[in-house]
Amino acid sequence: MNKRILLGVCGGIAAYKAAELVRLLRKQGFEVRVVMTAAARQFVTPLTFQALSGHAVHSELLDADQEQAMSHIHLARWADLLLIAPATADMLAKMAHGLADDLLSTLYLAAECPVFAAPAMNQAMWGKAVTQDNVARLRQHGVTLIGPAAGEQACGEQGLGRMVEPADVCRQLQVEQRPGILDGVNVVISAGPTREPLDPVRYITNRSSGKMGYALAEAAVSAGANVVLVSGPVSLPPPAGAELVQVETTLQMYDAVIAHSRAADIYIGAAAVADYRPQTVAERKIKKDRDIGNIVLTKNPDIIAEVARLQPKPLVVGFAAETDDLENYARHKLQAKNLDMIAANWVGQAEGGFESDRNALQVFWPGGLQILAMTDKHTLAAQLLNLIAEKLHEKNPVKSS
Ligand code: C5P
């Protein structure tokens, strides 16, 4: 368990949020030491952070007094985790290029512990190609980005660039530290593609690898849940500790999911279900010299919508893979299928999506939104489960506490 957090505060209006962050982190049992850049001191006084953290604030790279108490290398070694929040465009640029001209950038270079950064800046600065290049580089170097979030900015503009709220930053830091959040909770997860046969050797399918659903099953087992994983055909090892139900067609998946969801507290529909199946399946292989003409398709049941009709209804979480207008489509599906939460991601982009090991999600629920930044699917699964566990707790405080 990480106990010691070194918090780097950069100079931006969101620096005030870092004060609340220190308070929340300490409440959760972390020891926090704060490093401020010169610009951060223009926004919030070091005294605020000293009072909240219970330790003197570090600011100068070459300060004889502070070096005696704790050198910058000593400080870097002390930390179990380095969190930079808010992280300005300037600091991200310095980190991406190995510049070390102040205490915080030097600490980043010296740090050997996991590094998290919560960017905060104007939406145009965040969207600028050079910032995006720097961020991509930092991800390659192992930095975990938390956010940014979308919404109204201090400058009055709208867009991506707000620092993620302190409580959400805490939640994302604690991914690996909440092993019992789903103790005894029954979770059904669907994963992978479905196969719709045309004849004994041919079928219609899609590009789902099942990685996200399998990662969710593993994370749910680690969180203490009883997990049933209903899986279409994938080439992944069965997740230890989960009951695996293997299916091929949508109708088989439907039967298995409905049967298990009657006793479920949570249903997560991560499968890429075929919306249509061939109306007739040839008993023998269709010969190529025979003109088969058109393939007539018939609609498959919408599994998740049917789970959402069960009484009692489990907490129902869907996925939406979109190539455009992500938020509108996701929110529409949330409502149309009567889901409690939907995790949406872009497909057809350079990184993330179906066959990738990495993904980013925008998670929507009635009245809320949380962005989970691009990361490996295992980390993402744990972050999503934390959100799901919170929703379950809101819905049913006894079962999930
Ligand atoms: O409508 P769309 O297919 O984009 O919705 C995606 C969500 O609905 C996913 O959670 C998927 O597992 C679920 N779904 C389903 N049954 C279908 C189609 C989609 O459960 N026939």
Side-chain angles (χ1 to χ4, degrees), residues 319-353:
F319 273 79
E322 306 292 347
T323 53
D324 55 282
D325 213 1
L326 186 102
E327 174 155 7
N328 271 339
Y329 281 117
R331 286 220 179 265
H332 173 76
K333 283 173 194 175
L334 184 72
Q335 210 185 11
K337 300 184 188 220
N338 192 22
L339 312 181
D340 297 290
M341 188 182 265
I342 191 157
N345 67 279
W346 294 104
V347 282
Q349 307 257 319
E351 200 181 16

Side-chain angles (χ1 to χ4, degrees), residues 190-192 194 250 253-254 257 267-276 299-307 316-322 329 332-333 337 339 341-343:
S190 70
T194 57
T250 298
M253 184 174 275
Y254 173 83
V257 164
Y267 172 69
I268 307 175
V273 183
D275 292 313
Y276 293 89
K299 205 158 175 42
N300 271 328
D302 191 316
I303 301 173
I304 204 164
E306 293 304 323
V307 175
V316 183
V317 181
F319 273 79
E322 306 292 347
Y329 281 117
H332 173 76
K333 283 173 194 175
K337 300 184 188 220
L339 312 181
M341 188 182 265
I342 191 157

